Amino acid sequence: MNKRNLTLKRLVLLAVLVAINIIFQKISFGPAYLKIGLGFIGLTLLGYYFGPFWGGIGAGISDLVMASIFGVEGGFFPGFTISAIISGVIYGFFFYHKPVKVWRIVVASLLVTIIVNILLNTYWLHLLYGLNLKAAFAQRLIKELIVPWIQMIVIYLVLNALQRVKIIDKF
Protein backbone atom coordinates (compact mmCIF):
# COMPACT_ATOMS: atom_id res chain seq x y z
CA MET A 1 0.00 0.00 0.00
CA ASN A 2 1.29 3.42 -0.94
CA LYS A 3 1.90 5.71 2.03
CA ARG A 4 -0.25 8.46 0.62
CA ASN A 5 -3.10 6.50 -0.94
CA LEU A 6 -5.89 4.81 0.94
CA THR A 7 -8.73 2.97 -0.70
CA LEU A 8 -12.18 3.68 0.63
CA LYS A 9 -12.23 0.27 2.35
CA ARG A 10 -8.90 0.97 4.06
CA LEU A 11 -10.06 4.44 5.09
CA VAL A 12 -13.18 2.93 6.66
CA LEU A 13 -11.03 0.35 8.47
CA LEU A 14 -8.79 3.17 9.71
CA ALA A 15 -11.85 5.04 11.02
CA VAL A 16 -13.13 1.90 12.76
CA LEU A 17 -9.73 1.31 14.38
CA VAL A 18 -9.59 4.96 15.48
CA ALA A 19 -13.00 4.46 17.14
CA ILE A 20 -11.84 1.20 18.74
CA ASN A 21 -8.72 2.95 20.00
CA ILE A 22 -10.81 5.72 21.57
CA ILE A 23 -12.97 3.14 23.35
CA PHE A 24 -9.95 1.17 24.57
CA GLN A 25 -8.27 4.38 25.80
CA LYS A 26 -11.22 4.94 28.14
CA ILE A 27 -10.99 1.48 29.76
CA SER A 28 -8.56 0.82 32.60
CA PHE A 29 -8.23 -1.46 35.61
CA GLY A 30 -6.48 -1.37 38.95
CA PRO A 31 -5.61 1.21 41.58
CA ALA A 32 -4.35 4.64 40.54
CA TYR A 33 -0.70 3.87 41.21
CA LEU A 34 -0.80 0.72 39.03
CA LYS A 35 -3.58 1.49 36.56
CA ILE A 36 -3.53 -0.74 33.50
CA GLY A 37 -5.28 0.76 30.49
CA LEU A 38 -6.28 -0.99 27.30
CA GLY A 39 -5.28 1.84 24.98
CA PHE A 40 -2.19 -0.02 23.86
CA ILE A 41 -4.44 -2.56 22.08
CA GLY A 42 -5.93 0.11 19.82
CA LEU A 43 -2.48 1.54 19.08
CA THR A 44 -1.18 -1.94 18.31
CA LEU A 45 -4.07 -2.55 15.90
CA LEU A 46 -3.43 0.74 14.11
CA GLY A 47 0.25 -0.11 13.70
CA TYR A 48 -0.44 -3.72 12.70
CA TYR A 49 -2.95 -2.87 9.97
CA PHE A 50 -1.58 0.46 8.72
CA GLY A 51 2.14 0.63 9.43
CA PRO A 52 4.16 3.47 10.88
CA PHE A 53 2.83 6.27 8.68
CA TRP A 54 -0.95 5.76 8.84
CA GLY A 55 -0.73 4.06 12.24
CA GLY A 56 0.86 7.21 13.65
CA ILE A 57 -1.68 9.43 11.94
CA GLY A 58 -4.54 7.26 13.21
CA ALA A 59 -3.14 7.38 16.75
CA GLY A 60 -2.87 11.17 16.57
CA ILE A 61 -6.42 11.49 15.23
CA SER A 62 -7.65 9.18 18.01
CA ASP A 63 -6.04 11.40 20.64
CA LEU A 64 -7.48 14.59 19.14
CA VAL A 65 -10.98 13.15 18.73
CA MET A 66 -10.94 11.70 22.24
CA ALA A 67 -9.87 15.06 23.68
CA SER A 68 -12.63 16.80 21.70
CA ILE A 69 -15.37 14.41 22.73
CA PHE A 70 -14.48 13.60 26.32
CA GLY A 71 -12.30 16.54 27.27
CA VAL A 72 -9.02 16.16 29.07
CA GLU A 73 -8.43 16.49 32.77
CA GLY A 74 -6.28 19.58 33.21
CA GLY A 75 -6.89 20.72 29.63
CA PHE A 76 -5.64 19.57 26.25
CA PHE A 77 -1.87 19.26 25.86
CA PRO A 78 -0.37 18.49 22.41
CA GLY A 79 2.56 16.60 23.95
CA PHE A 80 0.31 13.62 24.64
CA THR A 81 -0.81 13.66 21.00
CA ILE A 82 2.87 13.46 20.02
CA SER A 83 3.24 10.51 22.41
CA ALA A 84 0.28 8.75 20.79
CA ILE A 85 1.71 9.31 17.31
CA ILE A 86 5.12 7.97 18.32
CA SER A 87 3.49 4.88 19.85
CA GLY A 88 1.55 4.22 16.64
CA VAL A 89 4.74 4.64 14.61
CA ILE A 90 6.70 2.22 16.83
CA TYR A 91 3.97 -0.43 16.73
CA GLY A 92 3.62 0.04 12.97
CA PHE A 93 7.34 -0.35 12.41
CA PHE A 94 7.47 -3.65 14.31
CA PHE A 95 4.14 -5.26 13.32
CA TYR A 96 3.07 -4.04 9.85
CA HIS A 97 3.34 -6.88 7.29
CA LYS A 98 5.57 -8.85 9.63
CA PRO A 99 5.02 -12.21 11.28
CA VAL A 100 4.14 -12.18 14.95
CA LYS A 101 7.34 -12.91 16.83
CA VAL A 102 7.89 -12.66 20.56
CA TRP A 103 11.02 -10.57 20.11
CA ARG A 104 9.11 -7.99 18.04
CA ILE A 105 6.46 -7.69 20.75
CA VAL A 106 9.07 -7.38 23.50
CA VAL A 107 11.13 -4.75 21.67
CA ALA A 108 8.11 -2.70 20.54
CA SER A 109 6.58 -2.77 24.02
CA LEU A 110 9.84 -1.83 25.71
CA LEU A 111 10.47 1.02 23.26
CA VAL A 112 6.98 2.43 23.82
CA THR A 113 7.42 2.02 27.57
CA ILE A 114 10.84 3.69 27.70
CA ILE A 115 10.52 6.38 25.03
CA VAL A 116 6.85 7.29 25.37
CA ASN A 117 5.63 6.30 28.82
CA ILE A 118 8.70 6.89 30.95
CA LEU A 119 10.54 9.68 29.13
CA LEU A 120 8.04 11.71 27.12
CA ASN A 121 4.90 11.37 29.25
CA THR A 122 6.82 12.05 32.44
CA TYR A 123 8.29 15.15 30.81
CA TRP A 124 4.85 16.26 29.63
CA LEU A 125 3.53 15.91 33.19
CA HIS A 126 6.50 17.93 34.42
CA LEU A 127 5.70 20.71 31.94
CA LEU A 128 1.97 20.63 32.64
CA TYR A 129 1.92 20.47 36.42
CA GLY A 130 5.41 21.56 37.41
CA LEU A 131 6.11 18.22 39.04
CA ASN A 132 9.62 17.50 40.21
CA LEU A 133 11.02 15.52 37.30
CA LYS A 134 12.99 13.06 39.44
CA ALA A 135 10.05 12.40 41.77
CA ALA A 136 7.62 11.94 38.87
CA PHE A 137 10.07 9.62 37.15
CA ALA A 138 10.53 7.52 40.31
CA GLN A 139 6.78 7.30 40.88
CA ARG A 140 6.06 6.20 37.30
CA LEU A 141 8.99 3.79 37.14
CA ILE A 142 7.37 1.23 39.47
CA LYS A 143 4.31 0.96 37.24
CA GLU A 144 6.41 0.84 34.08
CA LEU A 145 8.42 -2.09 35.41
CA ILE A 146 5.24 -4.18 35.81
CA VAL A 147 2.67 -3.14 33.20
CA PRO A 148 4.66 -3.77 29.95
CA TRP A 149 4.93 -7.50 30.69
CA ILE A 150 1.14 -7.75 30.94
CA GLN A 151 0.81 -5.73 27.73
CA MET A 152 3.23 -8.06 25.92
CA ILE A 153 1.08 -11.08 26.74
CA VAL A 154 -2.09 -9.32 25.58
CA ILE A 155 -0.43 -8.09 22.37
CA TYR A 156 0.81 -11.60 21.63
CA LEU A 157 -2.68 -13.06 22.08
CA VAL A 158 -4.38 -10.33 20.03
CA LEU A 159 -1.91 -10.44 17.12
CA ASN A 160 -1.97 -14.24 16.96
CA ALA A 161 -5.77 -14.16 16.84
CA LEU A 162 -5.67 -11.52 14.08
CA GLN A 163 -3.24 -13.58 12.02
CA ARG A 164 -5.64 -16.51 12.12
CA VAL A 165 -8.59 -14.35 11.05
CA LYS A 166 -6.64 -12.68 8.20
CA ILE A 167 -8.91 -9.67 7.96
CA ILE A 168 -6.09 -7.79 6.22
CA ASP A 169 -6.59 -9.94 3.10
CA LYS A 170 -10.11 -8.54 2.81
CA PHE A 171 -8.82 -4.97 2.70
Side-chain angles (χ1 to χ4, degrees):
M1 178 178 79
N2 187 337
K3 279 188 177 183
R4 304 279 181 222
N5 297 332
L6 281 179
T7 65
L8 181 58
K9 284 182 180 181
R10 301 256 324 145
L11 185 61
V12 169
L13 178 61
L14 180 64
V16 168
L17 291 179
V18 164
I20 288 171
N21 187 40
I22 291 169
I23 293 166
F24 280 149
Q25 293 286 348
K26 300 302 286 178
I27 301 171
S28 60
F29 305 96
Y33 62 89
L34 191 61
K35 191 166 282 200
I36 299 172
L38 298 181
F40 70 94
I41 298 172
L43 294 171
T44 300
L45 294 175
L46 284 165
Y48 179 76
Y49 282 118
F50 288 97
F53 183 77
W54 288 107
I57 289 174
I61 290 170
S62 295
D63 188 75
L64 293 172
V65 170
M66 188 171 66
S68 299
I69 293 173
F70 299 109
V72 179
E73 186 178 322
F76 174 75
F77 182 71
F80 292 113
T81 304
I82 293 168
S83 292
I85 292 168
I86 291 171
S87 296
V89 167
I90 290 171
Y91 287 130
F93 179 77
F94 281 94
F95 301 141
Y96 184 59
H97 288 306
K98 296 184 174 120
V100 175
K101 301 283 185 189
V102 172
W103 73 266
R104 287 184 202 282
I105 295 169
V106 170
V107 173
S109 297
L110 289 178
L111 283 175
V112 169
T113 298
I114 294 166
I115 294 170
V116 176
N117 298 345
I118 294 175
L119 297 176
L120 285 178
N121 288 350
T122 303
Y123 184 67
W124 303 143
L125 291 171
H126 165 72
L127 290 179
L128 265 176
Y129 302 114
L131 300 175
N132 179 308
L133 200 53
K134 289 181 182 178
F137 178 75
Q139 181 182 11
R140 294 173 58 83
L141 190 61
I142 296 168
K143 173 189 172 195
E144 299 304 336
L145 288 172
I146 298 168
V147 172
W149 306 103
I150 298 167
Q151 291 177 347
M152 289 176 207
I153 294 167
V154 173
I155 290 171
Y156 179 79
L157 295 171
V158 168
L159 292 182
N160 272 319
L162 290 175
Q163 277 195 330
R164 284 193 302 269
V165 173
K166 296 186 188 209
I167 193 171
I168 197 74
D169 294 340
K170 297 173 180 145
F171 287 91

